[in-house]
């Protein structure tokens, strides 16, 4: 991760964050301070929303770059099915441990949020 004002995260940084969250001590839920527990729940909701927005941006970016690399020009996945769209969906499905169909749905939703519903995306 760089620290030049506009921080850029690499996939390894995101994996490290996931590992950090997964390694929270099991006794965390048994803390005596309910205010701290509720603040933790609120913070984790913010993390989930931010992660969802970041996943949308990465998925839509991947679909866009894949379409350009395959000679599909600037044709959006939403404007029909370019030749590689199912392959992109399969790759996203594999990256998210889902089926190719579910991956395609994620690609379509991500592109729709980025291109047509930016306020909804910003709300995440």
């Amino acid at each position: 991760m760089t620290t030049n004002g506009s921080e850029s995260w690499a996939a390894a940084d995101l994996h490290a964050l996931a590992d950090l969250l997964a390694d929270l001590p099991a006794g965390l839920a048994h803390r005596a301070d309910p205010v701290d527990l509720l603040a933790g729940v609120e913070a984790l909701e913010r993390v989930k929303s931010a992660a969802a927005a970041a996943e949308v941006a990465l998925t839509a970016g991947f679909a866009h770059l894949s379409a350009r690399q395959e000679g599909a020009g600037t044709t959006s996945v939403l404007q029909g099915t370019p030749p590689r769209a199912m392959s992109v969906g399969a790759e996203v499905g594999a990256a998210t441990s889902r089926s190719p169909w579910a991956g395609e749905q994620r690609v379509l939703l991500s592109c729709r949020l980025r291109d047509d519903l930016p306020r909804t995306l910003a709300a995440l």
Side-chain angles (χ1 to χ4, degrees):
M1 177 173 64
T2 63
T3 57
N4 63 2
S6 65
E7 294 184 359
S8 174
W9 287 60
D13 296 321
L14 298 174
H15 284 289
L17 175 61
D19 291 341
L20 178 68
L21 290 173
D23 289 340
L24 285 175
L28 183 66
H30 301 294
R31 284 191 178 171
D33 185 9
V35 174
D36 189 40
L37 291 172
L38 194 55
V41 168
E42 180 183 15
L44 288 172
E45 280 299 314
R46 289 187 61 211
V47 168
K48 289 192 305 187
S49 293
E55 184 176 346
V56 164
L58 294 175
T59 301
F62 174 72
H64 178 74
L65 290 175
S66 295
R68 287 183 64 201
Q69 289 177 353
E70 289 297 318
T74 58
T75 301
S76 170
V77 174
L78 296 174
Q79 299 172 346
T81 306
R84 191 168 185 263
M86 292 306 293
S87 166
V88 169
E91 291 178 71
V92 170
T96 58
S97 300
R98 303 290 190 267
S99 70
W101 182 86
E104 180 68 15
Q105 296 307 301
R106 282 182 185 236
V107 169
L108 294 172
L109 177 60
S110 295
C111 291
R112 174 98 30 183
L113 284 167
R114 182 197 61 197
D115 299 337
D116 300 333
L117 301 167
R119 289 184 181 168
T120 302
L121 178 57
L124 287 174

